Amino acid sequence: MSVNQQAHTGPPYGQPQPGYQGYQQPAYGAQSLPGVPQSQYGAYNGPMPGYQQPVPPQGYFPSLGFPSKGSPVSLNSDTSLAPNFIGSLRAPPTSGAPPPTSGASHPSGHLAYSQFEHGDVQNGIPASAAPMQRPPASQPFLPGSAPTPVSQTSTFQQYGPPPASVQQLSNHMAGMTIGSTAASAPPPAGLGYGPPTSVPPVSGSFSATGSGLYTPYSTSQGPPPTSVSQGLPLAQPPFPGQTVSTQRLPTQVPGFAPPPPSTGVGPSSYPPTTGAPRPPAMPGPPLPGQTVAGPPSSQPNHVSSPPPSTMAGLHPGPPMGGLHGPSPPTHPPQPGYQMQQNGSFGQVRGPQPNYGGAYPGAPNYGSPPGPPPPPKRLDPDSIPSPQLNELPPQQKPRHRIDPDAIPSPIQVIEDDRNNRGSEPFVTGVRGQVPPLVTTNFLVKDQGNASPRYIRCTSYNIPCTSDMAKQSQVPLAAIIKPLATLPPEETLPYLVDHGESGPVRCNRCKAYMCPFMQFIEGGRRFQCCFCSCVTEVPPHYFQHLDHTGKRVDFYDRPELSLGSYEFLATVDYCKNNKFPSPPAFIFMIDVSYNAVKSGLVRLICEELKSLLDYLPREGNMEESAIRVGFVTYNKVLHFYNVKSSLAQPQMMVVSDVADMFVPLLDGFLVNVNESRTVIASLLDQIPEMFADTRETETVFAPVIQAGLEALKAAECAGKLFVFHTSLPIAEAPGKLKNRDDRKLINTDKEKTLFQPQTSFYNNLAKDCVAQGCCVDLFLFPNQYLDVATLGVVPYQTGGSIYKYAYFQLETDQYRFLNDLRRDVQKEVGFDAVMRVRTSTGIRATDFFGAFYMSNTTDVEMAGLDCDKTITVEFKHDDKLSEDSGALLQCALLYTSCAGQRRLRIHNLSLNCCTQLADLYRNCETDTLINYLAKYAYRGVLSSPVKTVRDALINQCAQILACYRKNCASPSSAGQLILPECMKLLPVYLNCVLKSDVLQPGPEVTTDDRAYIRQLVTSMDVAETNVFFYPRLLPLTKADVDSDSLPAAIRNSEERLSKGDIYLLENGLNIFVWVGVSVQQSLIQNLFGVSSFSQISNALSTLPVLENPFSKKVRSIVDMLQGQRSRYMKLIIVKQEDKLEMLFKHFLVEDKSLSGGASYVDFLCHMHKEIRQLLS
């Protein structure tokens, strides 16, 4: 079920909703448009040789999926919950990715696999043509009897294409006896996270019949957890009086047991994708007294794993480390590690509250039988496996975890799109978890702020601080106060209360909002934040209706909406006078490097036209912003561009130690009035400095000059500084080259992230006081000390853009796009933000690009539509489940027309006394955004290794607390993950492998400082794609539709050398071309006739008149439009030197800098969790 599936939140929310008519939602950037097959993962092809097969992690129950949001994924998930089958059908996968999470029981993977001639993708065994026979599916359980051996029809969820033929199956099964003695059963094929356990037959442990690796659930448990285990038998007596007879289990992937009948969870409700026959159920081991139905050879499902050398079609991979030593053989059989992808590993998903339910007991949904599923591998420890000495010799090799059997980000994203992309997200219900950031959805504001403005790590927060400490889940909100909304959504209304200003609480000063309670017939209101009662001002009085609501409730945005703006009165302005419109000052480095590279001429040419696009209020004819120009090297040149002059005048300030502005009148001007003078200046600057030999630059005096100019003009504004080199000229703020890679991995590494001098911190403080925001464009050819130069942009709320080794031909397009967007985007000046909370919690910590002079007010000289402020909350009292918790973010700022405004965002959250409710309402993407920012701030004061260990430890504690308190008891060998956090390990591993925390040899000190600052103000959608890039198979794109091809997982084994792929992470777009790509595709995309002729120097794709070229360029344009920065296009040919850079972004694989692969890290996390639990 999808991680964010939101199943259990508020009652009205969460049922599957009828399609929202007329609103077509492209997913994640127009991705899933109607008519486009939603891809799912292609088939997987088996364990890799050389990967030891770990025992299945305990606690993954395939049939259930990962724990669903609604139901902890664990054995005892609430039986009352309806299973979660919802969501639209998936079309055949377009890539060699793992099968759909949505329900793997139909082998849609096969068809997908063959559908695109993926000849060389190692992604699946060819589908078999021989249908398997269906065994009798209904065997009554006798209540109270010992759990039966895993004899229940072994149904498996399909995870990938089936083995090629019966012959192959029988080979797979060699060495497996079919009988009912447990002892001789083969080990699970590749599952397991823990010690092999010996299994006494009575306990229902594996019977050796075909289902070799299924472990039963223990009798006491309810529905299986979504734990990650590979195959579990259903061996649990039904509740008294219940029989399983009506439930025919659909074939599931091998190694996944269906949920116990008692939960009523039948096979998934997804009908098979078109054209994919549903595999028949496999014959399972007989119940006592039953004969085995069907020839044994037809049972692929559980085939003991042959030695690596004999495994067909597996990918080689590194051996798993550490989790599989045998431990004492005392464990009772454990339910396995049900690795379900968000539902993804199997079609049958875990019960999920409030979601239209399963079809209890439905027999196979009437689809025709299809080819059998292949054996599935999982990971160590989760499934009991017989002792090694009981195995036939060829079964000694250890199991390896199958990458398709662990939670897949692609599947979770896909499921959320299918389940939640078609309905508008209505914000009227308290504490409902929004769709994922990767889902395209429409928001209807009915009293809570849109998730585009605020996202929380959890929408149900613990009532007490003890509970919060126990879970270790950070309580944080990622706030983007000026976020851009899609055209279909309404901008916040502007409310003008005249001279009296907005209505506020007398005590805590919270602003009027939908949660305030009117009493005494409407004459007073009780504050929802501090409970103080305040008189309603006479001009604001209105009668209440019979429900206690004001009669004008729907006429006033502040009473009915979550987000709105107030026009501020003069009391909210500096020095009690209304502000002047802001100014933009362009400050251009004219040293030798800047002139020689063509940069100066490029900037001047662009500014001529760009000045017509300065930001303006909606209905204004022209922008109110005034502009000024400065050039500099070792000295500064100011320009008088007053409209009455025939030619611009230059004034030079060479005393950089005591900066002043030599002219007032004529420096900041209106663009339209001074147009001809400005154009003349921009023509002359490149000529004036064409022969310069000055290589040294200053930096701090440039910012001081801009600051003084804004002070003199008594306005706020923004400096656009274009700078090329380390400022070594004699002047305040002079820097030295301190780059030292030898400090990496030492205790002094933190100094590389800290500024060299405190001078810039003081300068930043002065800039914030004046409302002077700095945007810095850097063009370095060598070390430039971003950690120090970035202090002022960072603390003033500005941005840094970096173009290393800038070359006109390849980089100008990217730079000009960034500059245009930066100049044109919505920005608020002289901003102050405060977050108020209801009694019980308070804001304690803040992350982002801003300055704080006290503990509550976040101050920003400028705040644009891309910047977020992250706020962490801590308890200072108990909360109550009835009243919940409230947040109100109030941002006071000056608009680009000089109007002082207050923007208010309100959000109500639920509170819980049960940890399960907390874990069911978390948002992993937001959690990762917070954890990355927390870690990236940590490197300023602690060694990087300490920061990494703290991150791993915190996440292990979060998952261990869930395991201990929410999952049903099961053996320690199972890895059980909460449904909505099942991607926490894969995403956390991406953060740990990022350049800031684990740099490879090619990453410069400046790159690390740049990324650290960039991530600190990213929103959730940006960190999502930055840490787990999007990988699209371009050759699978449908040239006739507007949709994107289905994404595939970030791993080299998913790439086929006959295909072309696009990978984007928000900063770069790589186009990877395999060596065997058809010549016609190369011709169509690059306009050359062979692979060897493709140029790596392309910075844009050639414009060619053919459908494939048009489609790929439209995909690139669509992705560029979704990101706040223009991404650099890099062409990578397979086996080329640039491929190492590309592989760095295949984050599920091991990294060259020492980062673990996803599979290895999952095992490591499991080990950490087990240590915490023991």
Side-chain angles (χ1 to χ4, degrees):
M1 72 195 9
S2 75
V3 165
N4 233 6
Q5 210 162 264
Q6 191 38 55
H8 66 283
T9 37
Y13 151 82
Q15 275 82 295
Q17 307 161 322
Y20 179 49
Q21 306 304 323
Y23 184 62
Q24 177 177 308
Q25 306 267 25
Y28 201 26
Q31 207 143 331
S32 37
L33 292 174
V36 180
Q38 279 309 51
S39 115
Q40 50 204 30
Y41 300 24
Y44 159 70
N45 132 72
M48 320 208 274
Y51 232 116
Q52 289 135 290
Q53 310 271 29
V55 182
Q58 331 245 2
Y60 252 111
F61 288 86
S63 52
L64 255 269
F66 269 48
S68 64
K69 183 167 266 176
S71 55
V73 180
S74 66
L75 282 168
N76 57 352
S77 39
D78 215 327
T79 39
S80 59
L81 307 178
N84 344 271
F85 306 133
I86 21 178
S88 55
L89 296 182
R90 279 186 209 295
T94 52
S95 68
T101 0
S102 52
S105 49
H106 48 85
S108 40
H110 312 189
L111 117 100
Y113 180 50
S114 53
Q115 182 174 340
F116 307 103
E117 312 83 13
H118 233 203
D120 23 28
V121 175
Q122 297 184 322
N123 257 355
I125 306 167
S128 134
M132 314 292 298
Q133 297 176 320
R134 172 182 295 291
S138 53
Q139 298 140 348
F141 273 152
L142 307 175
S145 62
T148 33
V150 172
S151 46
Q152 172 77 1
T153 322
S154 350
T155 48
F156 308 107
Q157 314 221 114
Q158 160 69 13
Y159 278 94
S165 65
V166 176
Q167 176 56 46
Q168 191 178 333
L169 296 181
S170 23
N171 300 346
H172 256 290
M173 300 175 61
M176 207 170 101
T177 38
I178 305 274
S180 49
T181 55
S184 58
L191 319 186
Y193 256 56
T197 48
S198 60
V199 202
V202 274
S203 61
S205 58
F206 316 121
S207 55
T209 26
S211 79
L213 14 103
Y214 292 123
T215 38
Y217 301 125
S218 65
T219 48
S220 61
Q221 291 159 329
T226 299
S227 45
V228 182
S229 87
Q230 184 103 2
L232 319 161
L234 264 195
Q236 117 185 44
F239 292 117
Q242 234 182 346
T243 59
V244 190
S245 52
T246 53
Q247 192 179 11
R248 250 196 199 186
L249 304 162
T251 1
Q252 294 166 309
V253 175
F256 279 134
S262 53
T263 53
V265 178
S268 115
S269 54
Y270 287 92
T273 23
T274 29
R278 181 181 292 281
M282 304 297 170
L287 288 172
Q290 213 185 12
T291 51
V292 180
S297 61
S298 62
Q299 241 266 48
N301 285 331
H302 246 30
V303 202
S304 46
S305 21
S309 57
T310 61
M311 295 192 178
L314 313 180
H315 325 293
M320 302 270 340
L323 295 175
H324 21 248
S327 66
T330 51
H331 300 320
Q334 307 124 245
Y337 173 101
Q338 188 170 331
M339 288 254 171
Q340 275 225 173
Q341 286 310 25
N342 165 66
S344 170
F345 309 136
Q347 207 154 321
V348 183
R349 310 224 207 141
Q352 185 163 336
N354 286 345
Y355 256 99
Y359 300 84
N364 211 24
Y365 303 123
S367 27
K376 185 68 180 172
R377 327 259 129 67
L378 251 214
D379 65 16
D381 257 293
S382 65
I383 299 202
S385 73
Q387 300 305 296
L388 281 181
N389 56 8
E390 302 171 348
L391 299 179
Q394 83 266 38
Q395 296 173 347
K396 297 270 164 83
R398 284 191 167 133
H399 314 304
R400 163 201 184 245
I401 299 175
D402 170 2
D404 285 351
I406 53 182
S408 156
I410 305 298
Q411 193 60 54
V412 170
I413 287 169
E414 191 60 39
D415 284 352
D416 194 73
R417 276 186 192 144
N418 291 334
N419 295 333
R420 307 197 59 191
S422 54
E423 289 283 318
F425 177 69
V426 180
T427 70
V429 180
R430 182 175 84 190
Q432 57 181 337
V433 185
L436 295 183
V437 284
T438 43
T439 296
N440 223 330
F441 58 99
L442 184 68
V443 178
K444 292 198 170 169
D445 184 342
Q446 291 193 359
N448 282 293
S450 162
R452 302 190 205 289
Y453 294 123
I454 307 183
R455 278 188 177 262
C456 295
T457 51
S458 178
Y459 287 79
N460 202 332
I461 60 181
C463 284
T464 64
S465 59
D466 292 345
M467 196 170 149
K469 282 190 190 112
Q470 184 184 0
S471 73
Q472 287 287 312
V473 175
L475 305 176
I478 315 294
I479 305 174
K480 194 175 182 182
L482 298 178
T484 310
L485 299 184
E488 314 83 84
E489 293 178 21
T490 323
L491 291 170
Y493 289 98
L494 180 59
V495 179
D496 185 357
H497 282 312
E499 290 181 11
S500 59
V503 178
R504 303 177 68 177
C505 166
N506 275 344
R507 183 198 290 159
C508 71
K509 302 295 182 215
Y511 294 87
M512 179 54 67
C513 72
F515 312 120
M516 298 289 191
Q517 196 61 44
F518 287 89
I519 52 177
E520 297 176 21
R523 286 188 294 280
R524 305 168 82 190
F525 68 90
Q526 183 168 27
C527 177
C528 50
F529 294 95
C530 70
S531 305
C532 172
V533 173
T534 301
E535 292 286 332
V536 173
H539 72 88
Y540 197 70
F541 173 77
Q542 185 52 274
H543 294 287
L544 307 185
D545 66 13
H546 64 285
T547 64
K549 257 187 194 168
R550 283 175 51 124
V551 185
D552 59 356
F553 176 81
Y554 291 107
D555 302 331
R556 290 194 177 271
E558 72 275 21
L559 299 182
S560 54
L561 299 177
S563 301
Y564 42 88
E565 293 198 313
F566 291 119
L567 205 51
T569 59
V570 75
D571 308 333
Y572 292 87
C573 303
K574 261 188 198 156
N575 309 324
N576 279 356
K577 64 179 203 183
F578 284 113
S580 308
F584 282 1
I585 304 176
F586 296 92
M587 316 186 90
I588 305 167
D589 174 347
V590 289
S591 64
Y592 177 75
N593 277 347
V595 174
K596 187 187 65 158
S597 65
L599 181 62
V600 174
R601 187 176 296 278
L602 182 68
I603 293 169
C604 292
E605 280 301 315
E606 178 61 27
L607 288 179
K608 287 184 205 169
S609 56
L610 188 54
L611 295 178
D612 289 332
Y613 296 96
L614 298 177
R616 55 175 182 251
E617 292 295 338
N619 50 6
M620 291 173 56
E621 290 288 316
E622 61 177 46
S623 175
I625 293 172
R626 290 170 298 162
V627 297
F629 302 88
V630 173
T631 55
Y632 67 93
N633 40 43
K634 263 169 50 170
V635 298
L636 277 77
H637 321 104
F638 292 79
Y639 297 93
N640 183 345
V641 282
K642 196 172 178 179
S643 57
S644 56
L645 296 173
Q647 282 295 320
Q649 297 172 348
M650 174 163 112
M651 299 185 187
V652 180
V653 177
S654 51
D655 181 6
V656 291
D658 183 19
M659 186 43 63
F660 67 98
V661 179
L663 74 163
L664 286 181
D665 191 28
F667 179 63
L668 294 178
V669 297
N670 174 291
V671 174
N672 282 341
E673 290 169 11
S674 299
R675 183 176 298 280
T676 52
V677 193
I678 291 172
S680 171
L681 170 67
L682 294 173
D683 284 335
Q684 290 177 39
I685 287 175
E687 307 309 326
M688 260 190 296
F689 298 99
D691 301 322
T692 184
R693 286 284 167 267
E694 185 53 75
T695 55
E696 292 188 353
T697 57
V698 295
F699 182 70
V702 181
I703 292 173
Q704 287 171 324
L707 172 61
E708 292 303 321
L710 294 177
K711 272 187 186 164
E714 297 186 337
C715 69
K718 186 182 268 199
L719 312 183
F720 294 84
V721 182
F722 303 93
H723 188 79
T724 60
S725 58
L726 190 69
I728 53 174
E730 275 309 320
K734 171 186 172 181
L735 301 178
K736 59 180 191 292
N737 186 336
R738 54 163 186 164
D739 188 16
D740 186 359
R741 291 193 58 87
K742 291 197 285 295
L743 297 181
I744 291 178
N745 296 327
T746 69
D747 285 354
K748 288 191 177 169
E749 184 172 7
K750 57 179 180 267
T751 60
L752 298 175
F753 295 108
Q754 298 165 351
Q756 273 188 47
T757 153
S758 61
F759 180 87
Y760 288 94
N761 295 76
N762 297 326
L763 179 54
K765 185 175 169 182
D766 296 341
C767 287
V768 172
Q770 180 54 44
C772 169
C773 174
V774 179
D775 278 357
L776 181 57
F777 292 81
L778 295 172
F779 305 87
N781 288 331
Q782 56 198 21
Y783 178 72
L784 155 73
D785 204 347
V786 173
T788 305
L789 298 187
V791 168
V792 177
Y794 185 67
Q795 294 192 11
T796 58
S799 305
I800 305 179
Y801 297 85
K802 181 165 159 287
Y803 310 89
Y805 307 106
F806 179 82
Q807 289 183 314
L808 211 56
E809 315 73 66
T810 54
D811 296 315
Q812 70 170 36
Y813 198 62
R814 178 166 63 113
F815 161 58
L816 293 179
N817 273 284
D818 283 341
L819 177 59
R820 286 168 195 153
R821 190 167 190 284
D822 198 57
V823 167
Q824 297 172 38
K825 67 186 172 188
E826 182 187 358
V827 59
F829 295 95
D830 231 341
V832 184
M833 186 183 99
R834 180 175 285 191
V835 178
R836 293 179 173 82
T837 52
S838 54
T839 316
I841 53 171
R842 63 195 166 88
T844 55
D845 207 353
F846 301 85
F847 306 81
F850 52 75
Y851 173 78
M852 291 188 80
S853 54
N854 58 35
T855 56
T856 55
D857 295 334
V858 173
E859 300 173 47
M860 293 155 288
L863 172 67
D864 64 49
C865 56
D866 298 322
K867 296 282 185 306
T868 62
I869 292 93
T870 300
V871 186
E872 185 178 11
F873 302 98
K874 289 265 166 47
H875 287 77
D876 55 9
D877 203 347
K878 281 193 174 153
L879 295 166
S880 95
E881 286 188 279
D882 299 336
S883 54
L886 302 174
L887 317 178
Q888 183 178 77
C889 161
L891 175 77
L892 175 64
Y893 70 99
T894 301
S895 74
C896 56
Q899 205 175 46
R900 201 71 176 145
R901 296 181 176 182
L902 281 153
R903 178 167 289 199
I904 312 295
H905 296 298
N906 301 288
L907 186 64
S908 59
L909 302 173
N910 286 329
C911 296
C912 58
T913 52
Q914 299 296 319
L915 284 165
D917 291 326
L918 164 68
Y919 284 101
R920 210 174 274 149
N921 290 274
C922 287
E923 233 264 286
T924 300
D925 293 318
T926 308
L927 191 56
I928 287 292
N929 179 287
Y930 165 83
L931 291 171
K933 290 171 180 176
Y934 184 79
Y936 282 16
R937 184 177 66 183
V939 299
L940 292 172
S941 52
S942 310
V944 171
K945 181 173 187 328
T946 309
V947 173
R948 292 167 50 83
D949 292 345
L951 266 185
I952 293 173
N953 184 47
Q954 180 168 7
C955 289
Q957 287 191 316
I958 290 172
L959 298 174
C961 173
Y962 173 81
R963 172 65 193 265
K964 183 176 171 189
N965 300 289
C966 309
S968 53
S970 55
S971 106
Q974 279 174 279
L975 170 55
I976 300 187
L977 302 172
E979 174 61 22
C980 56
M981 282 191 193
K982 66 183 177 211
L983 298 182
L984 188 60
V986 62
Y987 286 162
L988 176 68
N989 190 33
C990 296
V991 173
L992 294 171
K993 294 202 289 191
S994 63
D995 291 339
V996 173
L997 299 182
Q998 194 164 39
E1002 73 294 343
V1003 181
T1004 67
T1005 306
D1006 275 346
D1007 286 335
R1008 297 177 74 197
Y1010 173 63
I1011 295 295
R1012 195 192 76 76
Q1013 292 201 7
L1014 205 56
V1015 168
T1016 309
S1017 46
M1018 276 185 181
D1019 71 11
V1020 181
E1022 288 172 318
T1023 51
N1024 174 274
V1025 77
F1026 179 76
F1027 289 116
Y1028 192 93
R1030 183 153 45 157
L1031 181 58
L1032 306 173
L1034 295 178
T1035 26
K1036 305 284 187 290
D1038 177 358
V1039 294
D1040 299 322
S1041 90
D1042 295 337
S1043 66
L1044 292 175
I1048 59 173
R1049 291 171 65 171
N1050 285 186
S1051 170
E1052 194 177 354
E1053 63 180 46
R1054 310 276 168 181
L1055 303 179
S1056 150
K1057 60 187 181 195
D1059 285 324
I1060 301 175
Y1061 297 86
L1062 179 150
L1063 180 145
E1064 63 127 353
N1065 73 339
L1067 298 182
N1068 300 302
I1069 288 182
F1070 293 90
V1071 173
W1072 182 91
V1073 187
V1075 289
S1076 314
V1077 173
Q1078 294 170 14
Q1079 192 179 335
S1080 59
L1081 285 176
I1082 291 175
Q1083 182 71 52
N1084 286 342
L1085 188 56
F1086 300 104
V1088 296
S1089 56
S1090 69
F1091 178 80
S1092 58
Q1093 292 174 296
I1094 299 171
S1095 163
N1096 288 34
L1098 292 174
S1099 58
T1100 55
L1101 291 169
V1103 178
L1104 303 173
E1105 286 303 313
N1106 65 71
F1108 185 59
S1109 172
K1110 286 179 183 168
K1111 177 65 182 177
V1112 173
R1113 283 181 290 114
S1114 77
I1115 289 174
V1116 170
D1117 292 345
M1118 179 195 299
L1119 299 180
Q1120 293 286 19
Q1122 291 170 14
R1123 305 286 167 228
S1124 60
R1125 291 169 182 246
Y1126 196 84
M1127 295 180 281
K1128 179 177 186 173
L1129 181 74
I1130 301 170
I1131 307 293
V1132 179
K1133 292 153 72 174
Q1134 188 177 3
E1135 297 166 11
D1136 186 64
K1137 58 184 186 298
L1138 272 174
E1139 200 180 22
M1140 295 320 290
L1141 177 61
F1142 172 76
K1143 286 181 179 175
H1144 176 67
F1145 296 100
L1146 298 176
V1147 292
E1148 290 196 22
D1149 298 338
K1150 272 195 164 61
S1151 69
L1152 289 173
S1153 50
S1157 69
Y1158 174 21
V1159 168
D1160 290 349
F1161 184 71
L1162 195 61
C1163 294
H1164 178 70
M1165 282 302 287
H1166 187 212
K1167 194 161 88 182
E1168 295 283 321
I1169 292 166
R1170 291 177 68 173
Q1171 279 173 351
L1172 289 172
L1173 292 174
S1174 59

